[in-house]
Amino acid sequence: MVLAKYFDQQATIQSSKFQEKTIVELGAGCGLVGISIAKLFPSSKILITDLGPLVPLIEKNIKLNGLDSSQVIAQEYFWGNEIPDSIQADVIVASDCVWVPYLVEPFVSALEKWANPSTLVLIAYQERSQISQNSFIEKAQQKFDISSIPPEEMHPRYTDSRIHILQLRRKNHPKDET
């Protein structure tokens, strides 16, 4: 919900920042974040991914929200597997994917595979496991520059000292306005 609300805030502040982009959600669960982004930024293409058993639920939620399959697609993706050559992600989003230690390495591997030098990665998480959080930061810092989204840029009702949104960019990425 925190990341969905962050995008809701961004839609009013910087409405063009996420328009006409290819946005990939990793570890989507029910697809809340990707569906929210699709509704807020209708000119963007959204790929919502998770494990195979969750894809039918995501597809159902896409239909229930009246979204077109030409804009939003649900697809199985197992972290670390190869990605389709046809998809170049402008933005990658993930929410609550940094919570158990054994998933950190495959998650970072997935980020490395999906992110090109200009891709913006936004990750929201609630502090649950200091070990997982530290491991994620340590592994991600090897390939990405990491900064925190300040709480004042987050939705005020969804801000807490234990909730974070991180912005990642590949090291040596091109400089831009974000």
Side-chain angles (χ1 to χ4, degrees):
M1 184 62 101
V2 170
L3 198 51
K5 287 297 189 179
Y6 170 77
F7 277 97
D8 189 42
Q9 295 277 101
Q10 292 301 302
T12 57
I13 299 168
Q14 303 181 52
S15 63
S16 65
K17 183 176 180 179
F18 298 104
Q19 291 286 9
E20 298 180 9
K21 304 290 184 195
T22 298
I23 301 173
V24 175
E25 181 178 11
L26 298 176
C30 66
L32 172 71
V33 175
I35 290 168
S36 297
I37 293 169
K39 292 181 90 60
L40 291 165
F41 304 102
S43 66
S44 289
K45 302 280 187 198
I46 316 296
L47 174 62
I48 303 174
T49 71
D50 210 315
L51 297 175
L54 290 169
V55 171
L57 172 64
I58 297 167
E59 289 172 334
K60 179 180 177 183
N61 289 336
I62 290 168
K63 287 180 187 162
L64 287 172
N65 279 276
L67 295 166
D68 190 291
S69 62
S70 67
Q71 180 199 11
V72 187
I73 298 168
Q75 182 175 309
E76 179 178 4
Y77 178 69
F78 191 82
W79 292 344
N81 284 359
E82 293 305 311
I83 63 167
D85 290 334
S86 61
I87 300 172
Q88 294 292 314
D90 297 305
V91 181
I92 299 169
V93 297
S95 186
D96 285 326
C97 292
V98 180
W99 60 284
V100 292
Y102 72 89
L103 290 177
V104 169
E105 196 163 319
F107 180 57
V108 172
S109 174
L111 293 174
E112 288 178 45
K113 289 179 187 305
W114 284 98
N116 62 58
S118 62
T119 302
L120 170 65
V121 180
L122 293 166
I123 298 173
Y125 69 95
Q126 179 178 342
E127 291 177 10
R128 290 188 176 94
S129 163
Q130 196 66 46
I131 293 169
S132 296
Q133 181 180 328
N134 292 346
S135 177
F136 171 73
I137 298 294
E138 178 185 314
K139 288 179 183 352
Q141 280 181 330
Q142 294 172 17
K143 300 285 182 177
F144 295 92
D145 292 322
I146 303 173
S147 60
S148 293
I149 299 294
E152 57 271 10
E153 289 184 28
M154 296 164 58
H155 191 285
R157 289 182 53 196
Y158 297 90
T159 303
D160 183 282
S161 63
R162 297 166 295 139
I163 296 174
H164 308 278
I165 301 177
L166 299 179
Q167 176 177 284
L168 286 72
R169 292 275 194 173
R170 281 272 196 186
K171 290 191 181 284
N172 303 314
H173 60 82
K175 304 291 183 224
D176 66 8
E177 74 282 352
T178 56

